[in-house]
Amino acid sequence: MSGPMIEVVNLTKRYNGVLAVDQISFTIAQGEIVGYLGPNGAGKSTTVKMLTGILRPTEGTIVIDGLDLLKDPIEVKRRIGYVPETGGMYESLTAYEYLQLVGRLYHLSEEILDHRIEEFLKLFGLEAVMHERLSSYSKGMKQKVLISAALLHNPKVLFLDEPLTGLDAHSALLLKELLRRLAAEGKTIFYCSHILDVVERTCTRVIIIHKGRIVADGTVEQLKELTRQGTLEDIFKQLTYSSDIEELAQAFARSILEMGG
Ligand code: ADP
């Protein structure tokens, strides 16, 4: 239940001289819900794109479920789902057609596929509009279809990049509950966001990055204790918005190391 599911060592990405992700290492156990936090431009999307095989790292290794992503990309992709921040969807398709297409790409049987499509569309309240084109959907509705598409093949690991963008309050609650249930079933969740509220309530662990580097890694409780701040928001501000950020981050990283966790 608690073996390593994601192992990242010295992950680095440079875009023509811009160092977006700088020597990041972490291990995530099966069943963890990890919030990957940082302000805009910190390197969150770049990390997730490398973890899902969309972008090739400049340096470093990524092992998912015991498989090296760079050596075995197809097998790794069978095990992961990805909810992008903005989806490249075929908007002339209906939600039903789009999910059918995605399910077929994963070689799901018609029977399983139909059952899962029905389940997700019901869960997200999209049954009545499932035969309407995605181009007529609101951003939140499209987001629900993207989340359904990422879960159709029942992946072991789910990566989400700002998944609440455009979701209404009810759907956001639903997604949070869904993530908790998925983790309870043993799925591993990697949740990228600059919105702290959800992470604080949903994630079992938080990794904070700033300028491409990890500045904190621990449970919300540990982080609160260390910084003596009331909410994750305060911790986050302290770590990422302050003018003496480098100093603070180093002090924080030192105290995390000292407490061994
Ligand atoms: P986040 O998701 O935390 O907002 P990103 O991973 O999108 O951060 O970006 C990290 C850094 O890399 C930023 O400085 C951004 O401008 C830069 N960057 C992202 N994508 C590219 C790209 N395709 N080409 C050049 N620079 C990029």
PDB file of all heavy atoms in Angstrom, residues 210-248:
ATOM      1  N   HIS A 210       9.691  27.246  -5.646  1.00  0.00           N
ATOM      2  CA  HIS A 210       9.879  28.664  -5.925  1.00  0.00           C
ATOM      3  C   HIS A 210      11.092  28.770  -6.841  1.00  0.00           C
ATOM      4  O   HIS A 210      12.138  28.185  -6.549  1.00  0.00           O
ATOM      5  CB  HIS A 210      10.114  29.403  -4.605  1.00  0.00           C
ATOM      6  CG  HIS A 210      10.309  30.874  -4.779  1.00  0.00           C
ATOM      7  ND1 HIS A 210       9.327  31.685  -5.291  1.00  0.00           N
ATOM      8  CD2 HIS A 210      11.365  31.667  -4.516  1.00  0.00           C
ATOM      9  CE1 HIS A 210       9.778  32.923  -5.331  1.00  0.00           C
ATOM     10  NE2 HIS A 210      11.012  32.938  -4.879  1.00  0.00           N
ATOM     11  N   LYS A 211      10.938  29.454  -7.959  1.00  0.00           N
ATOM     12  CA  LYS A 211      12.021  29.594  -8.938  1.00  0.00           C
ATOM     13  C   LYS A 211      12.652  28.250  -9.291  1.00  0.00           C
ATOM     14  O   LYS A 211      13.882  28.095  -9.308  1.00  0.00           O
ATOM     15  CB  LYS A 211      13.093  30.549  -8.406  1.00  0.00           C
ATOM     16  CG  LYS A 211      12.583  31.962  -8.252  1.00  0.00           C
ATOM     17  CD  LYS A 211      13.701  32.882  -7.803  1.00  0.00           C
ATOM     18  CE  LYS A 211      13.198  34.283  -7.549  1.00  0.00           C
ATOM     19  NZ  LYS A 211      14.181  35.102  -6.852  1.00  0.00           N
ATOM     20  N   GLY A 212      11.810  27.253  -9.500  1.00  0.00           N
ATOM     21  CA  GLY A 212      12.286  25.954  -9.964  1.00  0.00           C
ATOM     22  C   GLY A 212      12.898  25.040  -8.928  1.00  0.00           C
ATOM     23  O   GLY A 212      13.344  23.944  -9.250  1.00  0.00           O
ATOM     24  N   ARG A 213      12.910  25.481  -7.656  1.00  0.00           N
ATOM     25  CA  ARG A 213      13.519  24.635  -6.626  1.00  0.00           C
ATOM     26  C   ARG A 213      12.530  24.360  -5.500  1.00  0.00           C
ATOM     27  O   ARG A 213      11.669  25.197  -5.215  1.00  0.00           O
ATOM     28  CB  ARG A 213      14.742  25.333  -6.012  1.00  0.00           C
ATOM     29  CG  ARG A 213      15.799  25.676  -7.018  1.00  0.00           C
ATOM     30  CD  ARG A 213      17.111  25.925  -6.339  1.00  0.00           C
ATOM     31  NE  ARG A 213      17.659  24.675  -5.858  1.00  0.00           N
ATOM     32  CZ  ARG A 213      18.896  24.256  -6.135  1.00  0.00           C
ATOM     33  NH1 ARG A 213      19.699  24.982  -6.859  1.00  0.00           N
ATOM     34  NH2 ARG A 213      19.331  23.115  -5.669  1.00  0.00           N
ATOM     35  N   ILE A 214      12.701  23.207  -4.843  1.00  0.00           N
ATOM     36  CA  ILE A 214      11.839  22.891  -3.701  1.00  0.00           C
ATOM     37  C   ILE A 214      12.305  23.715  -2.497  1.00  0.00           C
ATOM     38  O   ILE A 214      13.484  23.695  -2.145  1.00  0.00           O
ATOM     39  CB  ILE A 214      11.907  21.379  -3.373  1.00  0.00           C
ATOM     40  CG1 ILE A 214      11.285  20.581  -4.516  1.00  0.00           C
ATOM     41  CG2 ILE A 214      11.181  21.089  -2.052  1.00  0.00           C
ATOM     42  CD1 ILE A 214      11.323  19.074  -4.337  1.00  0.00           C
ATOM     43  N   VAL A 215      11.359  24.456  -1.896  1.00  0.00           N
ATOM     44  CA  VAL A 215      11.729  25.226  -0.704  1.00  0.00           C
ATOM     45  C   VAL A 215      11.092  24.637   0.552  1.00  0.00           C
ATOM     46  O   VAL A 215      11.473  25.000   1.666  1.00  0.00           O
ATOM     47  CB  VAL A 215      11.384  26.738  -0.835  1.00  0.00           C
ATOM     48  CG1 VAL A 215      12.245  27.390  -1.904  1.00  0.00           C
ATOM     49  CG2 VAL A 215       9.907  26.966  -1.127  1.00  0.00           C
ATOM     50  N   ALA A 216      10.121  23.743   0.396  1.00  0.00           N
ATOM     51  CA  ALA A 216       9.534  23.085   1.565  1.00  0.00           C
ATOM     52  C   ALA A 216       8.849  21.808   1.136  1.00  0.00           C
ATOM     53  O   ALA A 216       8.317  21.733   0.025  1.00  0.00           O
ATOM     54  CB  ALA A 216       8.522  24.008   2.239  1.00  0.00           C
ATOM     55  N   ASP A 217       8.878  20.808   2.025  1.00  0.00           N
ATOM     56  CA  ASP A 217       8.244  19.528   1.724  1.00  0.00           C
ATOM     57  C   ASP A 217       7.829  18.914   3.056  1.00  0.00           C
ATOM     58  O   ASP A 217       8.679  18.597   3.879  1.00  0.00           O
ATOM     59  CB  ASP A 217       9.263  18.627   0.989  1.00  0.00           C
ATOM     60  CG  ASP A 217       8.693  17.270   0.602  1.00  0.00           C
ATOM     61  OD1 ASP A 217       7.567  16.936   1.028  1.00  0.00           O
ATOM     62  OD2 ASP A 217       9.386  16.539  -0.129  1.00  0.00           O
ATOM     63  N   GLY A 218       6.542  18.789   3.289  1.00  0.00           N
ATOM     64  CA  GLY A 218       6.091  18.210   4.554  1.00  0.00           C
ATOM     65  C   GLY A 218       4.580  18.157   4.616  1.00  0.00           C
ATOM     66  O   GLY A 218       3.903  18.508   3.648  1.00  0.00           O
ATOM     67  N   THR A 219       4.030  17.737   5.762  1.00  0.00           N
ATOM     68  CA  THR A 219       2.572  17.767   5.907  1.00  0.00           C
ATOM     69  C   THR A 219       2.176  19.209   6.223  1.00  0.00           C
ATOM     70  O   THR A 219       3.020  20.016   6.662  1.00  0.00           O
ATOM     71  CB  THR A 219       2.098  16.871   7.069  1.00  0.00           C
ATOM     72  OG1 THR A 219       2.637  17.414   8.274  1.00  0.00           O
ATOM     73  CG2 THR A 219       2.541  15.433   6.890  1.00  0.00           C
ATOM     74  N   VAL A 220       0.916  19.532   6.030  1.00  0.00           N
ATOM     75  CA  VAL A 220       0.446  20.886   6.336  1.00  0.00           C
ATOM     76  C   VAL A 220       0.738  21.186   7.808  1.00  0.00           C
ATOM     77  O   VAL A 220       1.203  22.276   8.154  1.00  0.00           O
ATOM     78  CB  VAL A 220      -1.063  21.008   6.034  1.00  0.00           C
ATOM     79  CG1 VAL A 220      -1.600  22.344   6.502  1.00  0.00           C
ATOM     80  CG2 VAL A 220      -1.334  20.833   4.544  1.00  0.00           C
ATOM     81  N   GLU A 221       0.513  20.190   8.663  1.00  0.00           N
ATOM     82  CA  GLU A 221       0.751  20.380  10.093  1.00  0.00           C
ATOM     83  C   GLU A 221       2.218  20.697  10.383  1.00  0.00           C
ATOM     84  O   GLU A 221       2.522  21.604  11.152  1.00  0.00           O
ATOM     85  CB  GLU A 221       0.318  19.138  10.881  1.00  0.00           C
ATOM     86  CG  GLU A 221      -1.188  18.968  10.957  1.00  0.00           C
ATOM     87  CD  GLU A 221      -1.909  20.263  11.295  1.00  0.00           C
ATOM     88  OE1 GLU A 221      -1.495  20.928  12.260  1.00  0.00           O
ATOM     89  OE2 GLU A 221      -2.877  20.614  10.584  1.00  0.00           O
ATOM     90  N   GLN A 222       3.112  19.951   9.744  1.00  0.00           N
ATOM     91  CA  GLN A 222       4.555  20.199   9.942  1.00  0.00           C
ATOM     92  C   GLN A 222       4.918  21.607   9.501  1.00  0.00           C
ATOM     93  O   GLN A 222       5.636  22.323  10.189  1.00  0.00           O
ATOM     94  CB  GLN A 222       5.388  19.211   9.114  1.00  0.00           C
ATOM     95  CG  GLN A 222       5.573  17.865   9.748  1.00  0.00           C
ATOM     96  CD  GLN A 222       6.288  16.914   8.796  1.00  0.00           C
ATOM     97  OE1 GLN A 222       6.217  17.048   7.577  1.00  0.00           O
ATOM     98  NE2 GLN A 222       6.966  15.947   9.360  1.00  0.00           N
ATOM     99  N   LEU A 223       4.402  21.989   8.354  1.00  0.00           N
ATOM    100  CA  LEU A 223       4.746  23.314   7.832  1.00  0.00           C
ATOM    101  C   LEU A 223       4.226  24.402   8.763  1.00  0.00           C
ATOM    102  O   LEU A 223       4.892  25.398   9.014  1.00  0.00           O
ATOM    103  CB  LEU A 223       4.187  23.501   6.418  1.00  0.00           C
ATOM    104  CG  LEU A 223       4.656  22.528   5.341  1.00  0.00           C
ATOM    105  CD1 LEU A 223       4.217  22.986   3.974  1.00  0.00           C
ATOM    106  CD2 LEU A 223       6.171  22.378   5.347  1.00  0.00           C
ATOM    107  N   LYS A 224       3.026  24.177   9.297  1.00  0.00           N
ATOM    108  CA  LYS A 224       2.446  25.172  10.204  1.00  0.00           C
ATOM    109  C   LYS A 224       3.285  25.294  11.467  1.00  0.00           C
ATOM    110  O   LYS A 224       3.557  26.381  11.955  1.00  0.00           O
ATOM    111  CB  LYS A 224       1.031  24.748  10.599  1.00  0.00           C
ATOM    112  CG  LYS A 224      -0.021  25.132   9.598  1.00  0.00           C
ATOM    113  CD  LYS A 224      -1.373  24.739  10.135  1.00  0.00           C
ATOM    114  CE  LYS A 224      -2.430  24.978   9.083  1.00  0.00           C
ATOM    115  NZ  LYS A 224      -3.704  24.385   9.466  1.00  0.00           N
ATOM    116  N   GLU A 225       3.687  24.153  11.992  1.00  0.00           N
ATOM    117  CA  GLU A 225       4.471  24.150  13.211  1.00  0.00           C
ATOM    118  C   GLU A 225       5.794  24.888  13.030  1.00  0.00           C
ATOM    119  O   GLU A 225       6.201  25.685  13.855  1.00  0.00           O
ATOM    120  CB  GLU A 225       4.761  22.706  13.578  1.00  0.00           C
ATOM    121  CG  GLU A 225       4.444  22.365  15.014  1.00  0.00           C
ATOM    122  CD  GLU A 225       4.524  20.874  15.198  1.00  0.00           C
ATOM    123  OE1 GLU A 225       5.670  20.388  15.276  1.00  0.00           O
ATOM    124  OE2 GLU A 225       3.472  20.206  15.214  1.00  0.00           O
ATOM    125  N   LEU A 226       6.435  24.592  11.887  1.00  0.00           N
ATOM    126  CA  LEU A 226       7.740  25.171  11.641  1.00  0.00           C
ATOM    127  C   LEU A 226       7.699  26.674  11.465  1.00  0.00           C
ATOM    128  O   LEU A 226       8.596  27.386  11.896  1.00  0.00           O
ATOM    129  CB  LEU A 226       8.357  24.537  10.395  1.00  0.00           C
ATOM    130  CG  LEU A 226       8.917  23.143  10.640  1.00  0.00           C
ATOM    131  CD1 LEU A 226       9.220  22.463   9.323  1.00  0.00           C
ATOM    132  CD2 LEU A 226      10.186  23.238  11.475  1.00  0.00           C
ATOM    133  N   THR A 227       6.677  27.156  10.817  1.00  0.00           N
ATOM    134  CA  THR A 227       6.648  28.586  10.537  1.00  0.00           C
ATOM    135  C   THR A 227       5.800  29.333  11.557  1.00  0.00           C
ATOM    136  O   THR A 227       5.743  30.541  11.544  1.00  0.00           O
ATOM    137  CB  THR A 227       6.052  28.848   9.144  1.00  0.00           C
ATOM    138  OG1 THR A 227       4.822  28.147   9.060  1.00  0.00           O
ATOM    139  CG2 THR A 227       6.972  28.387   8.041  1.00  0.00           C
ATOM    140  N   ARG A 228       5.113  28.589  12.413  1.00  0.00           N
ATOM    141  CA  ARG A 228       4.185  29.157  13.389  1.00  0.00           C
ATOM    142  C   ARG A 228       3.182  30.095  12.715  1.00  0.00           C
ATOM    143  O   ARG A 228       2.847  31.150  13.229  1.00  0.00           O
ATOM    144  CB  ARG A 228       4.918  29.907  14.493  1.00  0.00           C
ATOM    145  CG  ARG A 228       5.969  29.049  15.152  1.00  0.00           C
ATOM    146  CD  ARG A 228       6.381  29.535  16.524  1.00  0.00           C
ATOM    147  NE  ARG A 228       7.560  28.869  16.985  1.00  0.00           N
ATOM    148  CZ  ARG A 228       7.647  27.567  17.243  1.00  0.00           C
ATOM    149  NH1 ARG A 228       6.605  26.792  17.112  1.00  0.00           N
ATOM    150  NH2 ARG A 228       8.783  27.021  17.632  1.00  0.00           N
ATOM    151  N   GLN A 229       2.763  29.687  11.546  1.00  0.00           N
ATOM    152  CA  GLN A 229       1.761  30.480  10.825  1.00  0.00           C
ATOM    153  C   GLN A 229       0.443  29.734  10.903  1.00  0.00           C
ATOM    154  O   GLN A 229       0.425  28.514  10.960  1.00  0.00           O
ATOM    155  CB  GLN A 229       2.146  30.625   9.361  1.00  0.00           C
ATOM    156  CG  GLN A 229       3.446  31.346   9.125  1.00  0.00           C
ATOM    157  CD  GLN A 229       3.289  32.845   9.159  1.00  0.00           C
ATOM    158  OE1 GLN A 229       2.187  33.348   9.341  1.00  0.00           O
ATOM    159  NE2 GLN A 229       4.374  33.556   9.003  1.00  0.00           N
ATOM    160  N   GLY A 230      -0.625  30.497  10.871  1.00  0.00           N
ATOM    161  CA  GLY A 230      -1.938  29.885  11.045  1.00  0.00           C
ATOM    162  C   GLY A 230      -2.400  29.053   9.864  1.00  0.00           C
ATOM    163  O   GLY A 230      -2.866  27.935  10.031  1.00  0.00           O
ATOM    164  N   THR A 231      -2.260  29.578   8.678  1.00  0.00           N
ATOM    165  CA  THR A 231      -2.792  28.853   7.521  1.00  0.00           C
ATOM    166  C   THR A 231      -1.675  28.612   6.516  1.00  0.00           C
ATOM    167  O   THR A 231      -0.622  29.246   6.565  1.00  0.00           O
ATOM    168  CB  THR A 231      -3.885  29.676   6.802  1.00  0.00           C
ATOM    169  OG1 THR A 231      -3.257  30.847   6.282  1.00  0.00           O
ATOM    170  CG2 THR A 231      -5.014  30.058   7.720  1.00  0.00           C
ATOM    171  N   LEU A 232      -1.976  27.717   5.615  1.00  0.00           N
ATOM    172  CA  LEU A 232      -1.008  27.425   4.563  1.00  0.00           C
ATOM    173  C   LEU A 232      -0.746  28.684   3.728  1.00  0.00           C
ATOM    174  O   LEU A 232       0.358  28.930   3.266  1.00  0.00           O
ATOM    175  CB  LEU A 232      -1.560  26.291   3.692  1.00  0.00           C
ATOM    176  CG  LEU A 232      -0.582  25.632   2.738  1.00  0.00           C
ATOM    177  CD1 LEU A 232       0.636  25.122   3.467  1.00  0.00           C
ATOM    178  CD2 LEU A 232      -1.265  24.469   2.034  1.00  0.00           C
ATOM    179  N   GLU A 233      -1.768  29.488   3.612  1.00  0.00           N
ATOM    180  CA  GLU A 233      -1.648  30.744   2.857  1.00  0.00           C
ATOM    181  C   GLU A 233      -0.535  31.621   3.446  1.00  0.00           C
ATOM    182  O   GLU A 233       0.286  32.182   2.732  1.00  0.00           O
ATOM    183  CB  GLU A 233      -2.993  31.474   2.922  1.00  0.00           C
ATOM    184  CG  GLU A 233      -2.950  32.893   2.408  1.00  0.00           C
ATOM    185  CD  GLU A 233      -3.640  33.020   1.074  1.00  0.00           C
ATOM    186  OE1 GLU A 233      -4.665  32.349   0.903  1.00  0.00           O
ATOM    187  OE2 GLU A 233      -3.158  33.790   0.232  1.00  0.00           O
ATOM    188  N   ASP A 234      -0.516  31.713   4.778  1.00  0.00           N
ATOM    189  CA  ASP A 234       0.505  32.524   5.439  1.00  0.00           C
ATOM    190  C   ASP A 234       1.902  31.947   5.207  1.00  0.00           C
ATOM    191  O   ASP A 234       2.862  32.667   4.970  1.00  0.00           O
ATOM    192  CB  ASP A 234       0.233  32.607   6.944  1.00  0.00           C
ATOM    193  CG  ASP A 234      -1.089  33.287   7.230  1.00  0.00           C
ATOM    194  OD1 ASP A 234      -1.470  34.166   6.428  1.00  0.00           O
ATOM    195  OD2 ASP A 234      -1.747  32.932   8.208  1.00  0.00           O
ATOM    196  N   ILE A 235       1.974  30.592   5.276  1.00  0.00           N
ATOM    197  CA  ILE A 235       3.263  29.922   5.056  1.00  0.00           C
ATOM    198  C   ILE A 235       3.741  30.208   3.637  1.00  0.00           C
ATOM    199  O   ILE A 235       4.891  30.548   3.387  1.00  0.00           O
ATOM    200  CB  ILE A 235       3.100  28.388   5.210  1.00  0.00           C
ATOM    201  CG1 ILE A 235       2.689  28.033   6.632  1.00  0.00           C
ATOM    202  CG2 ILE A 235       4.387  27.667   4.820  1.00  0.00           C
ATOM    203  CD1 ILE A 235       2.273  26.586   6.810  1.00  0.00           C
ATOM    204  N   PHE A 236       2.809  30.071   2.732  1.00  0.00           N
ATOM    205  CA  PHE A 236       3.096  30.248   1.318  1.00  0.00           C
ATOM    206  C   PHE A 236       3.604  31.658   1.051  1.00  0.00           C
ATOM    207  O   PHE A 236       4.616  31.864   0.379  1.00  0.00           O
ATOM    208  CB  PHE A 236       1.804  29.970   0.561  1.00  0.00           C
ATOM    209  CG  PHE A 236       1.945  29.946  -0.925  1.00  0.00           C
ATOM    210  CD1 PHE A 236       2.689  28.950  -1.532  1.00  0.00           C
ATOM    211  CD2 PHE A 236       1.317  30.885  -1.711  1.00  0.00           C
ATOM    212  CE1 PHE A 236       2.798  28.905  -2.909  1.00  0.00           C
ATOM    213  CE2 PHE A 236       1.422  30.839  -3.086  1.00  0.00           C
ATOM    214  CZ  PHE A 236       2.163  29.853  -3.680  1.00  0.00           C
ATOM    215  N   LYS A 237       2.919  32.626   1.642  1.00  0.00           N
ATOM    216  CA  LYS A 237       3.325  34.028   1.457  1.00  0.00           C
ATOM    217  C   LYS A 237       4.717  34.225   2.020  1.00  0.00           C
ATOM    218  O   LYS A 237       5.574  34.847   1.424  1.00  0.00           O
ATOM    219  CB  LYS A 237       2.345  34.944   2.190  1.00  0.00           C
ATOM    220  CG  LYS A 237       1.163  35.305   1.340  1.00  0.00           C
ATOM    221  CD  LYS A 237       0.424  36.453   1.991  1.00  0.00           C
ATOM    222  CE  LYS A 237      -0.973  36.545   1.444  1.00  0.00           C
ATOM    223  NZ  LYS A 237      -1.951  36.857   2.477  1.00  0.00           N
ATOM    224  N   GLN A 238       4.911  33.648   3.205  1.00  0.00           N
ATOM    225  CA  GLN A 238       6.207  33.807   3.870  1.00  0.00           C
ATOM    226  C   GLN A 238       7.317  33.228   2.982  1.00  0.00           C
ATOM    227  O   GLN A 238       8.403  33.782   2.891  1.00  0.00           O
ATOM    228  CB  GLN A 238       6.168  33.079   5.208  1.00  0.00           C
ATOM    229  CG  GLN A 238       7.351  33.428   6.089  1.00  0.00           C
ATOM    230  CD  GLN A 238       7.308  32.651   7.397  1.00  0.00           C
ATOM    231  OE1 GLN A 238       6.254  32.212   7.845  1.00  0.00           O
ATOM    232  NE2 GLN A 238       8.455  32.472   7.998  1.00  0.00           N
ATOM    233  N   LEU A 239       7.000  32.115   2.317  1.00  0.00           N
ATOM    234  CA  LEU A 239       8.020  31.451   1.512  1.00  0.00           C
ATOM    235  C   LEU A 239       8.204  32.035   0.129  1.00  0.00           C
ATOM    236  O   LEU A 239       9.261  31.927  -0.459  1.00  0.00           O
ATOM    237  CB  LEU A 239       7.668  29.968   1.354  1.00  0.00           C
ATOM    238  CG  LEU A 239       8.023  29.109   2.543  1.00  0.00           C
ATOM    239  CD1 LEU A 239       7.350  27.768   2.439  1.00  0.00           C
ATOM    240  CD2 LEU A 239       9.525  28.921   2.621  1.00  0.00           C
ATOM    241  N   THR A 240       7.185  32.603  -0.416  1.00  0.00           N
ATOM    242  CA  THR A 240       7.293  32.964  -1.825  1.00  0.00           C
ATOM    243  C   THR A 240       7.122  34.443  -2.152  1.00  0.00           C
ATOM    244  O   THR A 240       7.479  34.861  -3.232  1.00  0.00           O
ATOM    245  CB  THR A 240       6.270  32.173  -2.669  1.00  0.00           C
ATOM    246  OG1 THR A 240       4.970  32.471  -2.193  1.00  0.00           O
ATOM    247  CG2 THR A 240       6.513  30.681  -2.596  1.00  0.00           C
ATOM    248  N   TYR A 241       6.568  35.226  -1.258  1.00  0.00           N
ATOM    249  CA  TYR A 241       6.338  36.622  -1.624  1.00  0.00           C
ATOM    250  C   TYR A 241       7.255  37.612  -0.909  1.00  0.00           C
ATOM    251  O   TYR A 241       7.334  38.754  -1.262  1.00  0.00           O
ATOM    252  CB  TYR A 241       4.882  37.031  -1.353  1.00  0.00           C
ATOM    253  CG  TYR A 241       3.902  36.301  -2.218  1.00  0.00           C
ATOM    254  CD1 TYR A 241       2.710  35.829  -1.693  1.00  0.00           C
ATOM    255  CD2 TYR A 241       4.160  36.086  -3.560  1.00  0.00           C
ATOM    256  CE1 TYR A 241       1.807  35.142  -2.491  1.00  0.00           C
ATOM    257  CE2 TYR A 241       3.273  35.407  -4.358  1.00  0.00           C
ATOM    258  CZ  TYR A 241       2.096  34.937  -3.824  1.00  0.00           C
ATOM    259  OH  TYR A 241       1.216  34.263  -4.607  1.00  0.00           O
ATOM    260  N   SER A 242       7.902  37.124   0.117  1.00  0.00           N
ATOM    261  CA  SER A 242       8.696  38.034   0.920  1.00  0.00           C
ATOM    262  C   SER A 242       9.915  38.528   0.142  1.00  0.00           C
ATOM    263  O   SER A 242      10.427  37.858  -0.740  1.00  0.00           O
ATOM    264  CB  SER A 242       9.109  37.283   2.176  1.00  0.00           C
ATOM    265  OG  SER A 242      10.203  37.888   2.742  1.00  0.00           O
ATOM    266  N   SER A 243      10.412  39.726   0.479  1.00  0.00           N
ATOM    267  CA  SER A 243      11.546  40.260  -0.261  1.00  0.00           C
ATOM    268  C   SER A 243      12.833  39.484   0.049  1.00  0.00           C
ATOM    269  O   SER A 243      13.706  39.371  -0.784  1.00  0.00           O
ATOM    270  CB  SER A 243      11.719  41.740   0.056  1.00  0.00           C
ATOM    271  OG  SER A 243      11.842  41.866   1.449  1.00  0.00           O
ATOM    272  N   ASP A 244      12.913  38.951   1.273  1.00  0.00           N
ATOM    273  CA  ASP A 244      14.116  38.175   1.599  1.00  0.00           C
ATOM    274  C   ASP A 244      13.849  36.682   1.432  1.00  0.00           C
ATOM    275  O   ASP A 244      14.200  35.865   2.270  1.00  0.00           O
ATOM    276  CB  ASP A 244      14.620  38.479   3.002  1.00  0.00           C
ATOM    277  CG  ASP A 244      13.542  38.349   4.044  1.00  0.00           C
ATOM    278  OD1 ASP A 244      12.371  38.187   3.643  1.00  0.00           O
ATOM    279  OD2 ASP A 244      13.838  38.400   5.227  1.00  0.00           O
ATOM    280  N   ILE A 245      13.230  36.375   0.335  1.00  0.00           N
ATOM    281  CA  ILE A 245      12.776  35.024   0.071  1.00  0.00           C
ATOM    282  C   ILE A 245      13.875  33.963   0.140  1.00  0.00           C
ATOM    283  O   ILE A 245      13.685  32.909   0.737  1.00  0.00           O
ATOM    284  CB  ILE A 245      12.043  34.963  -1.301  1.00  0.00           C
ATOM    285  CG1 ILE A 245      11.697  33.527  -1.675  1.00  0.00           C
ATOM    286  CG2 ILE A 245      12.785  35.620  -2.422  1.00  0.00           C
ATOM    287  CD1 ILE A 245      10.667  32.934  -0.835  1.00  0.00           C
ATOM    288  N   GLU A 246      15.034  34.282  -0.439  1.00  0.00           N
ATOM    289  CA  GLU A 246      16.082  33.259  -0.493  1.00  0.00           C
ATOM    290  C   GLU A 246      16.480  32.829   0.920  1.00  0.00           C
ATOM    291  O   GLU A 246      16.601  31.654   1.225  1.00  0.00           O
ATOM    292  CB  GLU A 246      17.320  33.793  -1.228  1.00  0.00           C
ATOM    293  CG  GLU A 246      17.074  34.200  -2.670  1.00  0.00           C
ATOM    294  CD  GLU A 246      16.632  33.039  -3.556  1.00  0.00           C
ATOM    295  OE1 GLU A 246      16.864  31.886  -3.174  1.00  0.00           O
ATOM    296  OE2 GLU A 246      16.031  33.303  -4.620  1.00  0.00           O
ATOM    297  N   GLU A 247      16.633  33.839   1.768  1.00  0.00           N
ATOM    298  CA  GLU A 247      17.038  33.577   3.135  1.00  0.00           C
ATOM    299  C   GLU A 247      15.990  32.732   3.866  1.00  0.00           C
ATOM    300  O   GLU A 247      16.298  31.755   4.525  1.00  0.00           O
ATOM    301  CB  GLU A 247      17.168  34.927   3.828  1.00  0.00           C
ATOM    302  CG  GLU A 247      18.213  34.968   4.908  1.00  0.00           C
ATOM    303  CD  GLU A 247      18.342  36.389   5.371  1.00  0.00           C
ATOM    304  OE1 GLU A 247      18.946  37.206   4.636  1.00  0.00           O
ATOM    305  OE2 GLU A 247      17.796  36.685   6.436  1.00  0.00           O
ATOM    306  N   LEU A 248      14.748  33.143   3.708  1.00  0.00           N
ATOM    307  CA  LEU A 248      13.641  32.420   4.352  1.00  0.00           C
ATOM    308  C   LEU A 248      13.564  30.981   3.870  1.00  0.00           C
ATOM    309  O   LEU A 248      13.393  30.052   4.658  1.00  0.00           O
ATOM    310  CB  LEU A 248      12.311  33.096   3.997  1.00  0.00           C
ATOM    311  CG  LEU A 248      11.793  34.108   4.983  1.00  0.00           C
ATOM    312  CD1 LEU A 248      10.599  34.828   4.370  1.00  0.00           C
ATOM    313  CD2 LEU A 248      11.380  33.420   6.274  1.00  0.00           C
TER     314      LEU A 248
END
